[in-house]
Amino acid sequence: MTWLITGGAGYIGAHVARAMTGAGERVVALDDLSAGVPARLPEGVPLVRGSSLDGELVRRVCAEHGVTGVVHLAARKQAAESVARPTWYYRENVGGLATLLDAVADAGIERFVFSSSAAVYGDLDVDVITEDSPCAPANPYGETKLAGEWLVRAAGRAHGIATVCLRYFNVAGAAVPELADTGVFNIVPMVFDRLTRDEAPRIFGDDYPTPDGTCVRDYIHVADLAEAHLAAARGLSRGDVTGDLTVNIGRGEGVSVRELITVIGEVTGDTRAPLVEDRRPGDAPRAVASSALAAERLGWTARRSVHDMIDSAWQGWRLHRGG
């Protein structure tokens, strides 16, 4: 088996490449380097610079490297940006996926893992989100992920490709500091950024119907997420997963924004009180995954704690930004 990882030099992609090569899988990475960093990849992993929108390049990579399975991570992923640039998001995320799937079908590849998102669910008012919960994305980014799932399943049925769609919840942490997320788009690096600039963290709304009034989320360590991809790939390779499978990837435990900031204070030593500001539009009070299906079908469960996530993310932040 040789696995093609699109977006393989990105934050999540490099962790997936590390987990798969560490388990003895052969990997080749495709990345346009718009967010990827070549140095993140494990030694010996070939990197091809390019996009999944380039069908001929994908066909060439698959032929030259004997690719027998694909893990598709490459995508645009900022919700606010997707609202401002919806046509670009559809072209990149759905158009790129369609081009990739055509190349996969032409190459006779029969295994495909798709990076989806809990954004497909939108703003559900439920205690725990299962894979059967209704999908009503709240922004174009979530729409492209849901459309991507539909497309993956349809192509799988048409071309005999076994597929797994992984719906990520909130990803944080780093397996090693060098692989830490360098962007400031998610809550953990956003709080780090505020503290590094000697500013208090911000909470957007403390009057939600939750125990402490702040939003509750399910946070997953990126190393656990990478191991979920390995489990999916191996399930496809062994034939344990046939047809199509869609699973949530989370810890199945809710952590409020206030609780998360408290853990950040414990790790960083900066325990100043957060500033409470107005709610942001579109923030659901609670989004917590049921992870039972992933355990049942993939034999995967998350192993790392929220403290592990924050501690590893802080080590990475200090390495990359000198905080």
Side-chain angles (χ1 to χ4, degrees):
M1 289 290 298
T2 297
W3 288 89
L4 170 65
I5 304 178
T6 68
Y11 165 54
I12 294 174
H15 278 90
V16 174
R18 182 179 186 270
M20 294 186 73
T21 56
E25 301 288 343
R26 289 185 298 189
V27 164
V28 56
L30 175 70
D31 200 301
D32 66 6
L33 302 184
S34 58
V37 178
R40 284 176 172 155
L41 284 166
E43 185 176 353
V45 171
L47 170 63
V48 178
R49 183 169 185 175
S51 168
S52 55
L53 287 157
D54 186 341
E56 290 308 310
L57 174 62
V58 174
R59 288 176 177 83
R60 187 165 67 250
V61 171
C62 289
E64 291 177 355
H65 293 272
V67 171
T68 49
V70 173
V71 178
H72 182 47
L73 302 168
R76 307 300 170 183
K77 61 176 186 177
Q78 302 304 323
E81 183 181 54
S82 77
V83 173
R85 304 183 66 186
T87 56
W88 184 59
Y89 262 67
Y90 270 85
R91 184 163 55 249
E92 292 281 315
N93 290 2
V94 182
L97 175 59
T99 299
L100 176 63
L101 286 166
D102 279 340
V104 165
D106 291 346
I109 295 168
E110 298 178 345
R111 303 167 187 87
F112 195 93
V113 180
F114 177 59
S115 164
S116 190
S117 168
V120 301
Y121 295 115
D123 304 329
L124 294 181
D125 184 17
V126 295
D127 287 338
V128 177
I129 297 172
T130 74
E131 291 80 0
D132 293 327
S133 297
C135 292
N139 51 61
Y141 164 67
E143 292 167 5
T144 66
K145 286 299 184 181
L146 184 57
E149 289 187 7
W150 295 338
L151 183 55
V152 165
R153 296 185 197 112
R157 290 190 297 269
H159 302 293
I161 305 168
T163 65
V164 179
C165 296
L166 302 179
R167 291 174 174 171
Y168 311 169
F169 279 65
N170 298 268
V171 184
V176 293
E178 291 78 9
L179 297 186
D181 189 2
T182 57
V184 188
F185 303 108
N186 300 315
I187 185 170
V188 173
M190 287 172 67
V191 173
F192 289 166
D193 184 56
R194 297 276 296 183
L195 297 180
T196 301
R197 291 188 285 113
D198 197 30
E199 297 175 357
R202 291 186 295 178
I203 290 176
F204 296 99
D206 65 351
D207 57 350
Y208 287 93
T210 61
D212 67 14
T214 67
C215 293
V216 173
R217 296 291 182 265
D218 192 329
Y219 296 93
I220 178 76
H221 197 298
V222 67
D224 282 327
L225 177 64
E227 290 168 4
H229 287 80
L230 174 62
R234 289 200 153 168
L236 290 169
S237 297
R238 291 191 302 263
D240 297 340
V241 177
T242 58
D244 62 82
L245 173 66
T246 299
V247 295
N248 291 333
I249 302 298
R251 293 173 62 247
E253 298 179 13
V255 178
S256 75
V257 172
R258 192 176 292 279
E259 289 171 333
L260 187 73
I261 290 175
T262 297
V263 176
I264 292 174
E266 293 169 355
V267 168
T268 64
D270 191 329
T271 58
R272 74 185 76 189
L275 301 174
V276 177
E277 300 186 5
D278 292 339
R279 291 187 184 191
R280 295 180 304 186
D283 278 347
R286 180 179 174 87
V288 178
S290 167
S291 55
L293 189 61
E296 175 189 340
R297 295 297 306 276
L298 299 179
W300 172 88
T301 54
R303 299 185 292 117
R304 296 162 180 88
S305 69
V306 172
H307 190 278
D308 293 335
M309 292 177 221
I310 302 305
D311 185 57
S312 63
W314 180 238
Q315 291 181 43
W317 179 270
R318 289 192 297 173
L319 174 68
H320 292 292
R321 293 178 177 265

